[in-house]
Amino acid sequence: MNQHGPARETPPPAVVGALRCPVCGSSLTRAPGVLRCPQRHSFDVARQGYVNLLSARSRPPLADSGDMATARAEFLAAGHYAPLAGRLSEGVAALLPTDLHEGLVVDAGAGTGYYLGAVLDRLPAASGLALDASVPGLRRAARSHERVGAVGWDIWQPWPLATGSASAVMNVFAPRNPAEFARVLRPGGVLAVVTPTAGHLAELRTLVTMLDVHEGKLDQLDSSLAGEFEPAVRETSTVELTLSPDDVRRVVAMGPNAHHLDRGDQRARLAELTEPVRATASFVLSFFRRAGKDR
Ligand SMILES: C[S@@+](CC[C@H](N)C(=O)[O-])C[C@H]1O[C@@H](n2cnc3c(N)ncnc32)[C@H](O)[C@@H]1O
Ligand SMILES: [Zn+2]
């Protein structure tokens, strides 16, 4: 899935074709080192291959830091959440109508691009857009798969993407924007949302204060999508993990808990761990289909 071989064009042409200028809404085209629109708004393609369409002023506060992105990349590379990536990619491929298999898969809050890569491996003719506000995340996502383009954006703002340009949208433990999910997805396209269950990694709560999962979160998700989406499949995926002390430190450091470690003696307790810890990861996968007729 990783490409270390010959240079390729980044972002891939199929991704650039779906992007729109965040200033004026026109199409973007590739010129040396930049994407630009006919009004000459121009956006650098970074050396690492991503394009940040966000201005420095508008960077959202919840974007992952470099340490969080590194912890996430290392934890995911160990394969702990591979069963989730497997179920997610199977679900998207199974639900997507055949004529949409060649389209664009948008991962909103893609992080390092781990799950998007798994979905693209199942859809050999599709391209992927990793949207995230974290520059360290984008650097990794841009190199995560040969058919991925990584673009810096704030999920809560209107997306710099053409209406109806996506065959599938994924959203894994990340902020959601239901209006933009609906606008960019073609009718018949698939939306896949992954959320943690209330019991996710409950065993680690004796070590650190994990943020509570609100009761009724799935109801909120469903009602936010009502009208524009039809529920397709919902399933729970549970993975029994044996985590080394480093794995535990990484899974804590990659999530929102990382911001709260200075409360009490949590940091010291994590540093002192010497034995593996058993923990249960548990997620809900919710698949929806975009309602409506093709435009
Ligand atoms: C918990 S991580 C999940 C990353 C990835 N989906 C995964 O599961 O590996 C949440 C991601 O959302 C991104 N994020 C948070 N707020 C955002 C926003 N407003 N716009 C875009 N990305 C955002 C973070 O930078 C981070 O990469
Ligand atoms: Zn423009």
Side-chain angles (χ1 to χ4, degrees):
M1 146 170 148
N2 289 308
Q3 153 136 352
H4 302 288
R8 62 183 176 106
E9 193 174 323
T10 55
V15 173
V16 175
L19 292 174
R20 293 292 175 265
C21 173
V23 181
C24 70
S26 308
S27 304
L28 293 170
T29 49
R30 185 72 197 252
V34 293
L35 299 184
R36 72 171 173 230
C37 79
Q39 322 289 327
R40 304 217 151 252
H41 302 124
S42 133
F43 307 91
D44 291 345
V45 179
R47 192 169 41 86
Q48 298 92 344
Y50 69 89
V51 181
N52 200 346
L53 296 180
L54 270 177
S55 67
R57 267 181 300 118
S58 52
R59 187 126 333 128
L62 294 178
D64 276 9
S65 66
D67 287 348
M68 289 166 83
T70 301
R72 177 174 301 284
E74 291 175 353
F75 183 82
L76 293 172
H80 299 298
Y81 288 178
L84 171 60
R87 279 304 307 136
L88 180 62
S89 49
E90 269 169 31
V92 171
L95 286 168
L96 206 58
T98 325
D99 60 321
L100 298 190
H101 277 219
E102 294 184 0
L104 182 69
V105 181
V106 178
D107 189 351
T112 59
Y114 178 74
Y115 298 100
L116 181 56
V119 170
L120 291 179
D121 282 344
R122 287 247 165 196
L123 297 173
S127 303
L129 168 59
L131 274 189
D132 206 286
S134 159
V135 166
L138 293 169
R139 286 195 188 118
R140 291 180 182 273
R143 297 167 175 209
S144 66
H145 196 285
E146 58 185 354
R147 283 176 276 129
V148 162
V151 170
W153 193 248
D154 178 359
I155 291 169
W156 283 318
Q157 304 299 318
W159 295 359
L161 271 180
T163 298
S165 56
S167 289
V169 172
M170 307 158 48
N171 180 257
V172 184
F173 316 126
R176 293 191 281 274
N177 185 336
E180 287 298 271
F181 293 167
R183 187 184 66 80
V184 304
L185 263 177
R186 289 172 59 177
V190 171
L191 169 66
V193 180
V194 180
T195 47
T197 69
H200 178 58
L201 299 180
E203 297 88 341
L204 300 187
R205 282 167 212 222
T206 53
L207 277 169
V208 291
T209 315
M210 307 292 266
L211 296 185
D212 286 336
V213 178
H214 296 297
E215 292 291 331
K217 233 179 171 180
L218 291 174
D219 291 350
Q220 280 171 28
L221 171 64
D222 292 347
S223 59
S224 73
L225 299 172
E228 307 282 15
F229 289 91
E230 290 154 5
V233 176
R234 172 162 283 157
E235 64 189 45
T236 303
S237 167
T238 300
V239 193
E240 299 299 338
L241 302 170
T242 302
L243 300 175
S244 71
D246 278 340
D247 289 331
V248 175
R249 289 186 272 270
R250 286 177 189 129
V251 79
V252 173
M254 76 191 215
N257 322 300
H259 301 296
H260 306 286
L261 288 180
D262 290 322
R263 284 189 204 147
D265 58 354
Q266 300 184 94
R267 215 177 273 283
R269 259 183 286 158
L270 276 176
E272 284 162 8
L273 269 183
T274 51
E275 297 298 318
V277 175
R278 284 179 177 274
T280 310
S282 119
F283 321 95
V284 179
L285 290 84
S286 304
F287 298 94
F288 301 83
R289 213 180 252 114
R290 175 75 172 97
K293 291 202 165 45
D294 219 334
R295 301 154 227 249

